[in-house]
């Protein structure tokens, strides 16, 4: 037997269906949308079946639930259990440490509190806001006896002191990609990008794989996302810590009726390759067989370079202002095609982390090689982050049929500080070129990378940033030609974001048969001045017809 129909009335319904863009009510049955329109248009349903008219949102605006197509909720949950050193309030409410001296004061206080010999494990340091990268000698000044281990907010950098190097057994002869050195060749205590970071984490997996903290974090951070109007997220890195444990936790928690989100899981290529070798692609393909209405398995992710905020992304000429450059990801670029081809052949969507323009070139080269081998149309190859690019890359991505998932909030939160920290003005101002993508006809979504990006999860702020491109001073418009219209920005947090994660037939617009997932707003983003969009309040969300 079907459930009774519930009709949600609103001041206005923005459907994100271009053929029927506006309505005044949404009828829901069995957790799905039965009809969208007016009470009069729904009469064929309502005259013949039991129904309830819900006026809870009669003074509000209903939109499709927002979609964040790139998050790390469980992974971030385990990290946020560590001592916090970040320059903003943490995702779980820990106090900010705005300056470098605040960081050192916090570390000295922790050193005084802990028993002798117990290591300090911390997270959240940001080099752009807190005076540049940490290094071994200054951490030795905090303690030359106690091991100190500090993970950057972006998790692409790890900083340690001499006792920690000793605990790792790392000496000047070590050969691991991403291990930092002083000019004289001595280890400087930095471990950059995943290969090196994994090396420095290996002896301390009990701290990094704190399952209780990760499970609790998954619940807490999902609540944070829900309060921002998000009803669907995508985890871009299933298995980075421990595949089976992560899988089982998501199967249990996300499918719980009180969990407020749907999630798409994208497997980490490095993890499944290590576990399954030549069978990895088929393993990822087969995961779709255990998908549910709330937990959807779709795609594989590969890392090509480092982080924008930690300044480890790979750049073309002229590189960083100081003449340096970032690091590649786990897989050497000349080996990418061989590693990724089995996924392409099995029609597994490929998500490629590429922040810098040199990495984006490598990404586009990879896609071209895949297309040359087996041409495909709707392949959903997506460049993740797409932060430092040029106009020709947008054109090339369009020709190859690719998509983009873009961290546009960095334009507001970080473009000015990244200019001063090493990217230079040209690249910083043109961070996240959405206008170029739109002009070339590339579909894209907007994401937060929550909780490893030093900014809030807020699709409305992301849309506001895309429309205004205002920097942190709230005066400077960064690369005005890269702004996009309000309607395109709203698509990028709803239906186009759904396209990026392969769920456009289920979520992203309010159309008959889709899941009844809504974001309820206090104002209409299409009728207010664009600079007011980030001030809109999310009143509630609805997931499968259930209010949260």
């Amino acid at each position: 037997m079907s459930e009774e129909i519930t009709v949600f009335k609103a001041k206005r319904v923005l459907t994100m269906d271009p053929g029927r863009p506006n309505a005044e009510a949404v009828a829901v049955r069995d957790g799905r949308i039965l009809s969208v329109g007016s009470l009069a248009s729904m009469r064929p349903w309502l005259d013949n079946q039991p129904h309830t008219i819900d006026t809870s949102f009669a003074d509000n605006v209903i939109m499709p639930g927002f979609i964040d197509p790139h998050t790390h909720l469980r992974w971030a949950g385990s990290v946020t259990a560590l001592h916090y050193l970040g320059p903003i309030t943490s995702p779980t409410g820990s106090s900010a440490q705005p300056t470098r001296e605040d960081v050192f004061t916090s570390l000295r206080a922790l050193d005084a509190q802990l028993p002798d010999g117990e290591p300090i494990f911390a997270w959240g340091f940001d080099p752009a806001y807190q005076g540049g990268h940490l290094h071994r000698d200054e951490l030795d000044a905090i303690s030359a006896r106690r091991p100190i281990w500090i993970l950057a907010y972006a998790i692409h950098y790890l900083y340690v002191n001499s006792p920690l190097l000793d605990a790792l057994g790392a000496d000047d002869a070590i050969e691991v990609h991403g291990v930092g050195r002083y000019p004289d060749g001595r280890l400087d205590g930095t471990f950059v990008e995943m290969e090196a970071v994994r090396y420095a984490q290996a002896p301390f997996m009990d701290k990094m794989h704190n399952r209780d903290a990760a499970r609790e974090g998954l619940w807490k951070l999902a609540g944070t996302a829900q309060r921002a109007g998000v009803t669907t997220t995508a985890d871009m890195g299933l298995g980075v810590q421990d595949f089976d444990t992560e899988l089982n936790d998501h199967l249990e928690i996300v499918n719980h009726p009180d969990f407020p989100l749907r999630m798409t899981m994208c497997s980490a290529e490095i993890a499944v390759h290590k576990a399954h070798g030549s069978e990895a692609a088929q393993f990822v393909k087969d995961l779709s067989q255990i998908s549910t209405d709330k937990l959807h398995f779709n795609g594989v992710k590969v890392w090509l370079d480092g982080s924008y905020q930690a300044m480890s992304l790979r750049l073309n000429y002229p590189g960083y202002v100081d003449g340096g450059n970032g690091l590649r990801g786990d897989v050497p670029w000349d080996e990418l095609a061989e590693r990724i081809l089995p996924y392409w052949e099995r029609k597994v969507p490929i998500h490629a982390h590429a922040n810098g323009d040199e990495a984006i070139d490598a990404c586009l080269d990879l896609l071209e090689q895949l297309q040359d081998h087996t041409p495909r149309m709707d392949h959903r190859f997506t460049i993740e982050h797409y932060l430092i690019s040029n106009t020709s890359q947008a054109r090339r991505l369009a020709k190859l049929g690719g998509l983009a998932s873009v961290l546009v909030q960095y334009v507001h939160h970080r473009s000015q500080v990244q200019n001063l920290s090493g990217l230079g003005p040209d690249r910083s101002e043109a961070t996240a070129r959405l206008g170029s993508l739109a002009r070339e006809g590339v579909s894209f979504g907007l994401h937060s990378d929550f909780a490893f990006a030093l900014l809030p999860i807020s699709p409305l702020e992301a849309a506001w940033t895309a429309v205004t491109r205002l920097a942190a001073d709230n005066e400077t418009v960064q690369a005005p030609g890269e702004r996009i219209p309000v309607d395109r920005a709203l698509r990028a947090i709803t239906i186009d974001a759904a396209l990026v994660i392969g769920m456009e037939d289920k979520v992203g617009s309010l159309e008959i048969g889709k899941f009844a997932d809504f974001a309820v707003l206090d104002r209409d983003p299409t009728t207010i001045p664009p600079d007011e969009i980030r001030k809109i309040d999310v009143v509630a969300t609805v997931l499968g017809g259930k209010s949260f």
Side-chain angles (χ1 to χ4, degrees):
M1 293 290 292
S2 292
E3 297 176 355
E4 181 178 287
I5 298 169
T6 300
V7 180
F8 293 90
K9 287 201 64 180
K11 181 189 298 183
R12 189 180 185 194
V13 177
L14 301 177
T15 69
M16 303 312 295
D17 170 3
R20 306 175 74 227
N22 302 303
E24 62 183 45
V26 184
V28 175
R29 189 178 68 186
D30 303 324
R32 294 178 181 268
I33 296 172
L34 183 69
S35 185
V36 182
S38 64
L39 293 180
S41 72
M42 295 174 184
R43 280 298 157 200
W45 291 108
L46 305 185
D47 286 346
N48 295 292
Q49 298 185 36
H51 63 274
T52 298
I53 308 297
D54 188 325
T55 60
S56 303
F57 309 131
D59 295 327
N60 303 122
V61 175
I62 288 177
M63 284 190 65
F66 300 142
I67 297 168
D68 191 320
H70 189 132
T71 61
H72 300 286
L73 303 188
R74 185 192 179 281
W75 188 5
S78 64
V79 171
T80 56
L82 304 177
H83 182 75
Y84 183 64
L85 297 174
I88 64 170
T89 302
S90 81
T92 53
S94 298
S95 298
Q97 311 291 323
T99 70
R100 195 179 194 85
E101 186 53 42
D102 291 331
V103 170
F104 293 154
T105 298
S106 179
L107 289 172
R108 284 191 287 266
L110 195 59
D111 178 54
Q113 296 167 12
L114 292 176
D116 289 345
E118 182 175 333
I120 290 175
F121 292 96
W123 164 73
F125 184 82
D126 185 82
Y129 281 103
Q130 293 170 312
H133 290 294
L134 298 170
H135 59 87
R136 169 187 184 175
D137 290 344
E138 61 185 344
L139 293 179
D140 284 351
I142 301 295
S143 177
R145 300 184 309 276
R146 183 190 306 281
I148 299 176
W149 184 102
I150 300 171
L151 189 64
Y153 204 115
I155 72 167
H156 290 255
Y157 257 87
L158 202 157
Y159 311 99
V160 307
N161 66 349
S162 294
L164 201 290
L165 287 174
D166 292 340
L168 291 171
D171 59 26
D172 293 345
I174 188 175
E175 294 184 6
V176 174
H177 179 68
V179 174
R181 298 178 185 274
Y182 289 116
D184 63 4
R186 191 168 56 100
L187 296 184
D188 66 7
T190 62
F191 293 81
V192 190
E193 292 313 319
M194 295 308 176
E195 184 177 340
V197 169
R198 272 198 305 274
Y199 170 85
Q201 286 180 355
F204 313 110
M205 287 304 187
D206 59 329
K207 296 293 293 185
M208 295 307 300
H209 291 183
N210 184 329
R211 189 176 186 184
D212 289 341
R215 289 166 61 88
E216 182 181 357
L218 178 54
W219 276 103
K220 283 185 176 180
L221 298 180
T224 302
Q226 175 267 321
R227 290 187 291 275
V230 176
T231 55
T232 298
T233 66
D235 185 287
M236 284 290 156
L238 175 64
V240 167
Q241 294 181 319
D242 180 272
F243 196 96
D244 290 342
T245 300
E246 293 175 43
L247 175 62
N248 290 330
D249 284 349
H250 283 96
L251 286 168
E252 175 192 341
I253 292 172
V254 178
N255 286 317
H256 192 286
D258 292 334
F259 192 77
L261 305 176
R262 302 186 199 280
M263 293 186 72
T264 290
M265 310 303 295
C266 183
S267 297
E269 190 277 338
I270 190 68
V272 291
H273 178 81
K274 181 179 180 181
H276 299 281
S278 62
E279 300 301 316
Q282 190 60 47
F283 172 80
V284 173
K285 177 76 172 179
D286 291 343
L287 282 173
S288 63
Q289 298 173 18
I290 60 171
S291 292
T292 68
D293 283 352
K294 289 189 72 179
L295 191 63
H296 178 229
F297 294 88
N298 187 52
V300 68
K301 180 187 176 187
V302 61
W303 282 259
L304 271 74
D305 72 341
S307 163
Y308 179 95
Q309 69 185 39
M311 297 176 289
S312 58
L313 53 76
R314 291 287 304 185
L315 295 174
N316 285 321
Y317 177 87
Y320 291 85
V321 170
D322 65 4
N325 212 331
L327 277 81
R328 62 160 173 80
D330 289 287
V331 183
W333 291 349
D334 59 359
E335 298 176 14
L336 279 170
E338 181 181 357
R339 285 277 286 267
I340 299 302
L341 182 60
Y343 297 96
W344 179 266
E345 292 176 331
R346 288 165 177 79
K347 298 184 178 180
V348 174
I350 297 155
H351 295 260
H353 166 120
N355 274 301
D357 53 6
E358 186 183 35
I360 290 173
D361 276 341
C363 201
L364 294 169
D365 290 345
L366 168 62
L367 178 53
E368 186 168 357
Q369 291 176 71
L370 297 174
Q371 286 283 39
D372 286 345
H373 187 278
T374 309
R376 286 177 52 202
M377 296 288 288
D378 188 20
H379 48 73
R380 309 297 174 95
F381 186 109
T382 303
I383 300 182
E384 298 289 333
H385 303 316
Y386 198 81
L387 281 163
I388 303 299
S389 67
N390 57 56
T391 56
S392 64
Q393 289 173 327
R395 186 171 301 114
R396 190 178 176 201
L397 183 59
K399 289 176 63 177
L400 292 168
L403 308 176
S405 181
V406 186
L407 216 172
V408 73
Q409 282 169 274
Y410 275 161
V411 173
H412 176 66
H413 287 275
R414 299 195 68 95
S415 62
Q416 289 179 317
V417 72
Q418 297 299 136
N419 171 20
L420 299 175
S421 299
L423 287 182
D426 304 79
R427 284 182 164 131
S428 297
E429 291 170 16
T431 292
R433 287 180 175 269
L434 298 181
S436 293
L437 292 174
R439 285 186 288 273
E440 298 299 336
V442 176
S443 294
F444 54 84
L446 304 180
H447 71 254
S448 68
D449 204 13
F450 188 68
F452 290 142
L454 206 150
L455 45 78
I457 182 169
S458 174
L460 286 169
E461 184 186 79
W464 168 85
T465 306
V467 171
T468 66
R469 292 189 64 88
L470 275 177
D473 62 7
N474 289 312
E475 295 179 357
T476 305
V477 176
Q478 300 283 53
E482 297 297 340
R483 292 176 294 192
I484 59 173
V486 171
D487 62 337
R488 186 64 187 267
L490 296 178
R491 288 186 61 86
I493 59 173
T494 55
I495 188 61
D496 288 351
L499 178 77
V500 164
I501 59 173
M503 292 190 69
E504 73 278 8
D505 59 334
K506 299 177 178 66
V507 296
S509 61
L510 303 180
E511 299 182 68
I512 186 170
K514 290 191 173 184
F515 292 127
D517 298 351
F518 318 144
V520 184
L521 312 179
D522 72 336
R523 287 183 286 171
D524 184 342
T526 67
T527 60
I528 62 175
D531 61 2
E532 295 289 312
I533 291 174
R534 66 171 167 170
K535 299 177 183 177
I536 293 173
D537 287 331
V538 176
V539 175
T541 62
V542 174
L543 190 77
K546 176 183 176 182
S547 295
F548 283 87

